[in-house]
Amino acid sequence: MVFLTLSCWIRSRGPDRYWRVQEVLKNARHFRGRKNRCFSLAVKAVRRAFVYATKARKAKRHYMRQLWISRIAAASREHGMKYPALIHNLVKTNVQVNRRILSDLAITEPRSFLSLAALAKARREEGFRAALGDGKEPAGVFSRIVQSH
Amino acid sequence: MSSFTKSAQQWATFARSWFLIDARMQPPGKIATMCSVRLQGKHKPIYHALSDCGDHVVVMNTRHIAFSGNKWEQKVYSSHTGYPGGFKQVTAAQLHHKDPKAIIKLAVYGMLPRNLHRRTMMQRLHLFPDDVLPDDILENLTEELPQPRVIPRKLSEYTQEERDAFPMLWTPPEDYRMK
């Protein structure tokens, strides 16, 4: 016999299995059912959750832009303009404010958003006058801005 | 750049308003789009799908809506009772006669997003066939929305002076026989 004492007979496969299991289970604690307690079910669920989280980081940017656009559209309709007209006229006046800031302005700074909407409306009227008029009227103030690109 | 602590707190931001729409001589589809936008809360810059920011909408005179074209006879509303042989198809005119609120209700139901909030939003839509509204709803109303369609005037509503002042393309001769 090689193993002569009790302490040599015990097959301990390493002291840190508990910690390795807990590392996985701590990510599964808010799940429903046995997947928040039992390791073999939790491992599969945690892997799937991490895959969803990775895919969602790209989708979040998509979703946030869609939300900003719908908020800006709602706010511009309050001021009598539609979203495509607002954005096109802000681009024509070289106002490079992005949709995130526009939606924040619409919520917390309504007067600043109103002034931007009024600027876009004025530029739009000038565009109509330039297109429909016969060229005898002077070019408008807002369309004198040269685009940078 | 404003910070959350420095901007003034607007207490009534998430208040629910009550809108009134008069549907007399209006196309039901346009009424339904206005209703669905306000029931979802998409007319507010603070819109979010989860924040329950929709408002109440009261539509009156639904009995007097006006479809364009021949839709009263040609538009068909289908349903199935679930039993065999229970496929029912009703024209818009028949459905309107049976229930004057059903056309707008079905139109708004189809325009709302297909999720669990749809039933709650439909409960916030109040339809009345005539312009008689109950007192508790009258007390809650905050704003009336303008009608989407300009109602054209009937010939009988023009005065004789306006009729004479209207330009004529040609004057018929004396012995011309008009039908």
Side-chain angles (χ1 to χ4, degrees):
Chain A
M1 270 179 26
V2 180
F3 304 117
L4 296 167
T5 54
L6 181 65
S7 51
C8 298
W9 272 106
I10 295 172
R11 283 189 62 233
S12 169
R13 293 204 273 168
D16 44 13
R17 186 201 306 155
Y18 173 79
W19 311 111
R20 273 187 249 128
V21 159
Q22 286 306 305
E23 203 173 36
V24 169
L25 282 177
K26 78 169 189 284
N27 295 311
R29 285 301 177 204
H30 60 283
F31 289 176
R32 183 188 270 220
R34 270 194 277 182
K35 5 191 232 282
N36 59 20
R37 297 183 289 279
C38 310
F39 181 72
S40 15
L41 303 173
V43 134
K44 298 184 230 175
V46 162
R47 171 178 278 233
R48 177 160 270 224
F50 284 170
V51 166
Y52 285 159
T54 318
K55 285 195 236 171
R57 261 173 244 135
K58 199 167 179 185
K60 184 180 180 180
R61 290 183 262 281
H62 214 283
Y63 169 70
M64 290 307 282
R65 187 174 160 120
Q66 193 185 23
L67 183 67
W68 296 329
I69 290 176
S70 54
R71 284 181 170 178
I72 297 168
S76 57
R77 270 167 206 262
E78 276 179 4
H79 297 310
M81 277 203 74
K82 293 192 193 164
Y83 170 83
L86 178 81
I87 296 290
H88 184 49
N89 289 295
L90 285 181
V91 161
K92 284 202 282 193
T93 52
N94 204 12
V95 171
Q96 288 160 2
V97 181
N98 61 5
R99 284 144 184 89
R100 174 175 67 116
I101 300 296
L102 271 179
S103 73
D104 289 343
L105 289 179
I107 295 173
T108 53
E109 316 270 352
R111 306 240 173 124
S112 316
F113 189 85
L114 174 64
S115 53
L116 282 172
L119 170 69
K121 204 183 275 189
R123 180 66 185 84
R124 193 171 186 226
E125 300 300 319
E126 275 177 22
F128 288 157
R129 278 204 302 269
L132 301 168
D134 28 346
K136 288 191 209 111
E137 293 139 10
V141 174
F142 299 107
S143 33
R144 253 187 261 155
I145 303 164
V146 179
Q147 282 206 316
S148 55
H149 54 85
Chain B
M1 191 60 189
S2 76
S3 72
F4 177 67
T5 47
K6 293 198 184 105
S7 57
Q9 187 169 19
Q10 302 284 339
W11 288 98
T13 316
F14 287 95
R16 217 170 273 158
S17 2
W18 287 64
F19 292 100
L20 176 66
I21 301 179
D22 186 4
R24 183 178 282 276
M25 297 297 281
Q26 303 299 312
K30 294 219 163 108
I31 297 285
T33 47
M34 294 167 64
C35 291
S36 79
V37 163
R38 277 157 187 87
L39 286 168
Q40 290 175 65
K42 289 209 135 183
H43 61 297
K44 301 181 176 173
I46 45 162
Y47 166 76
H48 194 281
L50 301 176
S51 47
D52 192 21
C53 45
D55 292 330
H56 289 255
V57 177
V58 177
V59 184
M60 62 182 196
N61 283 326
T62 58
R63 190 172 277 138
H64 304 283
I65 51 175
F67 267 120
S68 54
N70 294 330
K71 285 184 226 172
W72 284 115
E73 277 75 38
Q74 289 176 345
K75 189 166 171 68
V76 165
Y77 287 89
S78 329
S79 58
H80 201 292
T81 57
Y83 292 94
F87 184 53
K88 294 198 192 304
Q89 283 181 305
V90 209
T91 57
Q94 292 167 333
L95 182 67
H96 193 63
H97 180 74
K98 203 165 67 159
D99 178 17
K101 305 196 267 189
I103 290 186
I104 297 207
K105 186 164 177 199
L106 287 168
V108 176
Y109 192 72
M111 292 190 189
L112 293 173
R114 317 289 194 268
N115 55 25
L116 293 174
H117 293 144
R118 186 162 59 159
R119 297 274 164 151
T120 332
M121 289 190 251
M122 287 303 287
Q123 285 189 329
R124 292 193 184 139
L125 173 72
H126 310 276
L127 299 167
F128 296 98
D130 301 302
D131 51 5
V132 175
L133 301 175
D135 291 326
D136 43 2
I137 292 196
L138 276 175
E139 279 167 10
N140 287 342
L141 292 172
T142 57
E143 197 186 328
E144 175 158 10
L145 301 173
Q147 295 191 309
R149 174 196 180 221
V150 172
I151 305 175
R153 292 203 302 193
K154 291 194 227 187
L155 184 60
S156 50
E157 285 167 25
Y158 282 92
T159 57
Q160 190 57 41
E161 293 89 29
E162 279 171 321
R163 272 189 246 184
D164 297 330
F166 201 83
M168 287 195 72
L169 278 173
W170 64 294
T171 44
E174 301 298 311
D175 48 351
Y176 191 79
R177 201 177 70 172
M178 292 241 223
K179 256 199 275 192

